[in-house]
Amino acid sequence: MANMSLKKNPMPAQEPDVRNKNFNEVALGYTEEMALDEAARCLNCKNHPCVSGCPVQIHIPEFIAKVAAGEFEEAYQIISQTSSLPAVCGRVCPQENQCEKHCVRGIKGEAVGIGRLERFVADWHNEHVTTPPVKPASNGHKVAVVGSGPSGLTCAGDLAKKGYEVTVFEALHLAGGVLVYGIPEFRLPKAIVQKEVDNLKALGVTIATNVVVGRTISIDELMEEEGFEAVFIGSGAGLPMFMGIPGENYKGVYSANEFLTRINLMKAYRPDSDTPIQHPKKVAVVGGGNVAMDAARCSKRLGAEVYVVYRRGMEELPARREEVEHAEEEGVIFKTLNNPVEILADENDNVRAIRCIKMELGEPDASGRRRPVEVPGSEFELDVDCVIMSLGTSPNPLIKSTTKGLEINRKGGIVVNEDGLTSRANVYAGGDAVTGAATVILAMGAGKTAAKAIDEAFQNK
Ligand code: FAD
Ligand code: SF4
Ligand code: SF4
C-alpha cells in the first residue's frame, strides 16, 4: 500500500547549536524504517517523470521499488548502472531542481525523498558490502586523466572497468577535487570520497598526486613521450574571482577556494594542523551562492561571528534554500542588500572593517532578476577581521596555454562536441573545465560520456 503522507520523512540531523561547533556531518541519514516508509511514498509512475530530471537518468522508480521491498543491495546495483558516486550525489545533488522537481508527489505535497533514499542505499552498501572491485584484464591502451574531481574519477572508473590502463594526474596531494578541498566535511565526509578513490585503485587506476599538468608535465608530452593514446581533461574551474575593490590584498582577505581548501583539505580547524589560518573573530563572506554558504558555515565552526554580505535580497540568494536555512539556523547573519566598496586595515595591514553601501532593487536586468541599485549616501563600516570573497570561479588557463590546438571559449571553458571531444584529436574534456562552475552530477555525467566516446573510438580503430 502506498504511503500517501504529503510530507517526506524528515532527515535526522544534529541540532543547530551543537553542529555549529563541530565539523561532523550535519544530516545523519535515514534508518531502515524511515527508508522503507519513504520508499512507500513512490507511486512507481509508468512514465517516471523524475528520471527526466536526473542528468544521468538513474532508474529511480526501479531502485525505490527495491528499497520498498527491503532489497537494498539490489537497489544499489540498479543505481550503479548509471551513477558511479551515489553516496556523494545522494548528499550534495541539488535534488529540488532535478529529479525531485519532476516528482508527481510534489504536485500536492512534498516530492519523494529521492536523494535521501539514494544516500541510504549507497551508505547501506558501503556498510554491508566490503569486497573491493576486481581489476579487469588489461586491453593494453593507456589513457591519462587530468584532475581527480568527479568528472575525472568517473571517466577513470568507467575506462578501468573496460580494461584501460588509466593514470589520473592530480595537482593537489589528495584525490577528489572539490569533493575533498571545497565541500566541507559536515556536508560530505571525506571518508566517502576516499572509499571511491580506493575502489578506483582496486580497479587498477594509478593516481599520481602532486603533478600539475602544464607545469610538471604537459599534455603534449603525455601523448608524444609517455605513450598515452587519449587524454581526458577534468581540471575543474578553480580560479577565483575578486571584486577589484581597494584593500583586497590586506592580510585576512581570502578567496573562498583558498579558505575552504585550508579548512577541508588541510584541516586547519584542528589544533594539530600545521596550516596557517587565523581564527577570525568576525567574518564577512561576500557573495550569496552555495560556496558562500559553505565558507560562512565553516567560519561559524571556527567560532566567529559571521555575516553574509550580498547585494541583492534574501529571495534572490542563488544558494540552495536548504543551505541558507541551515546557515541561518547555525547563527550566520545575512546582511543582504549591501555591497562592499572597500576593505580597511589597521597599521599592520590586518583587515579591520569592510565598507559597504546599501542597495535597493530596481527594474529586472537581462537575467530576469531585479537589478541592485546603490542608495546614495548610505555607506557604512562593518567591523570584521576577515573577508572571504565568494564571487565565483573560472577554469584555470594553465592547460590551455600549455597544450597545442585546444580551442577555448570566451569564458575560458574548453570547447567540446557532444562526446566531450576537444578540437585536439584524442583529447577529451568535461565537467567544470568545460561548463564553468556547475554541479557534481553534471561533471560525473560528462566523465561518463567521454569514457564511452574514448572506448568507442578505440573499438573503431
Ligand atoms: P573539480 O572537482 O574542480 O576537480 C578538478 C581537479 O583537477 C582538482 O582536484 C584540481 O586540483 C585538479 N587540477 C586542476 N588543474 C590541474 C592541473 N593542471 N593538473 C593536475 N590537476 C589539476 N556541486 C553540487 O552538485 N552540489 C554541491 O553541494 C556543491 N557544493 C560545492 C561547494 C563548493 C565549495 C564548491 C567549490 C563547489 C561545489 N559544487 C557543488 C560544485 C561541484 O563540486 C563541481 O561542479 C564539481 O566538483 C566539478 O567537478 P570537476 O571534476 O569538473 O572538477
Ligand atoms: Fe536525483 Fe542527483 Fe540522484 Fe539523479 S543523481 S537521482 S538528480 S539525487
Ligand atoms: Fe516515484 Fe515520484 Fe518518480 Fe513517480 S515521479 S516514480 S512518485 S519518484
Side-chain angles (χ1 to χ4, degrees), residues 91-94 98 145-153 169-172 174-184 187 211-215 232 234-238 256-257 260 264 290-292 294-295 320 323 393 396 398-399 430-444:
R91 285 173 165 81
V92 304
C93 246
Q98 299 184 334
V145 170
V146 181
S148 63
S151 66
L153 293 181
F169 296 97
E170 168 54 51
L172 296 171
L174 262 185
V178 171
L179 305 182
V180 291
Y181 82 72
I183 303 181
R187 286 209 294 125
V211 179
V212 182
V213 173
R215 288 250 188 284
F232 173 78
S235 48
N257 261 36
L260 289 169
N264 295 318
N290 289 317
V291 179
D294 282 342
R320 289 178 73 187
E323 297 305 321
T393 53
N396 192 307
L398 178 63
I399 300 271
D432 286 6
V434 166
T435 56
T439 62
V440 171
I441 188 75
L442 285 172
M444 213 189 84

Side-chain angles (χ1 to χ4, degrees), residues 326-406:
H326 275 148
E328 278 187 307
E329 285 168 8
E330 290 169 10
V332 171
I333 300 161
F334 284 79
K335 294 256 177 209
T336 51
L337 289 169
N338 291 299
N339 203 27
V341 289
E342 185 178 4
I343 298 167
L344 307 164
D346 62 16
E347 61 284 3
N348 297 318
D349 286 351
N350 290 311
V351 171
R352 67 166 180 81
I354 184 165
R355 196 198 309 279
C356 302
I357 186 161
K358 291 188 185 300
M359 310 293 279
E360 57 190 14
L361 293 179
E363 294 302 311
D365 61 15
S367 71
R369 292 184 304 171
R370 292 176 64 196
R371 187 194 303 272
V373 185
E374 290 184 356
V375 177
S378 65
E379 285 191 17
F380 67 98
E381 282 180 20
L382 187 61
D383 288 345
V384 292
D385 54 357
C386 174
V387 175
I388 302 173
M389 290 293 182
S390 181
L391 305 158
T393 53
S394 60
N396 192 307
L398 178 63
I399 300 271
K400 178 216 166 211
S401 63
T402 55
T403 312
K404 283 184 271 182
L406 205 59

Side-chain angles (χ1 to χ4, degrees), residues 173 254 257-279 302:
H173 65 274
Y254 296 88
N257 261 36
E258 180 192 344
F259 182 78
L260 289 169
T261 302
R262 286 179 186 270
I263 302 277
N264 295 318
L265 192 67
M266 295 143 104
K267 310 285 179 226
Y269 55 87
R270 288 189 190 149
D272 61 340
S273 167
D274 53 10
T275 304
I277 197 164
Q278 62 178 123
H279 280 236
L302 291 180

Side-chain angles (χ1 to χ4, degrees), residues 89-227:
C89 294
R91 285 173 165 81
V92 304
C93 246
Q95 294 110 10
E96 67 282 8
N97 294 323
Q98 299 184 334
C99 51
E100 294 183 15
K101 187 178 174 187
H102 298 264
C103 173
V104 295
R105 294 299 307 266
I107 299 169
K108 262 198 189 167
E110 290 182 354
V112 173
I114 301 169
R116 293 175 184 182
L117 288 171
E118 186 176 331
R119 167 189 165 146
F120 166 80
V121 168
D123 288 356
W124 191 93
H125 170 87
N126 284 341
E127 205 177 306
H128 293 87
V129 182
T130 47
T131 34
V134 179
K135 182 180 169 184
S138 167
N139 66 11
H141 294 298
K142 275 177 79 177
V143 179
V145 170
V146 181
S148 63
S151 66
L153 293 181
T154 305
C155 185
D158 282 13
L159 287 171
K161 284 179 197 154
K162 291 191 155 75
Y164 289 86
E165 291 176 20
V166 184
T167 304
V168 177
F169 296 97
E170 168 54 51
L172 296 171
H173 65 274
L174 262 185
V178 171
L179 305 182
V180 291
Y181 82 72
I183 303 181
E185 177 80 19
F186 58 81
R187 286 209 294 125
L188 178 63
K190 303 310 154 215
I192 289 171
V193 186
Q194 191 52 48
K195 174 131 189 172
E196 299 299 341
V197 174
D198 290 344
N199 280 344
L200 284 192
K201 288 184 184 162
L203 281 169
V205 173
T206 304
I207 312 252
T209 51
N210 297 315
V211 179
V212 182
V213 173
R215 288 250 188 284
T216 324
I217 189 162
S218 70
I219 288 181
D220 296 341
E221 286 164 345
L222 286 173
M223 299 183 85
E224 289 158 19
E225 294 167 25
E226 300 296 324

Side-chain angles (χ1 to χ4, degrees), residues 2-22:
N3 167 359
M4 293 314 289
S5 164
L6 296 182
K7 294 241 172 233
K8 270 183 207 177
N9 276 271
M11 179 64 112
Q14 284 194 67
E15 288 301 323
D17 237 17
V18 175
R19 70 183 191 233
N20 66 6
K21 297 175 192 65
N22 69 57

Side-chain angles (χ1 to χ4, degrees), residues 35-47:
L36 290 169
D37 196 55
E38 187 60 24
R41 292 186 66 232
C42 175
L43 303 177
N44 213 331
C45 311
K46 240 197 200 137
N47 54 352

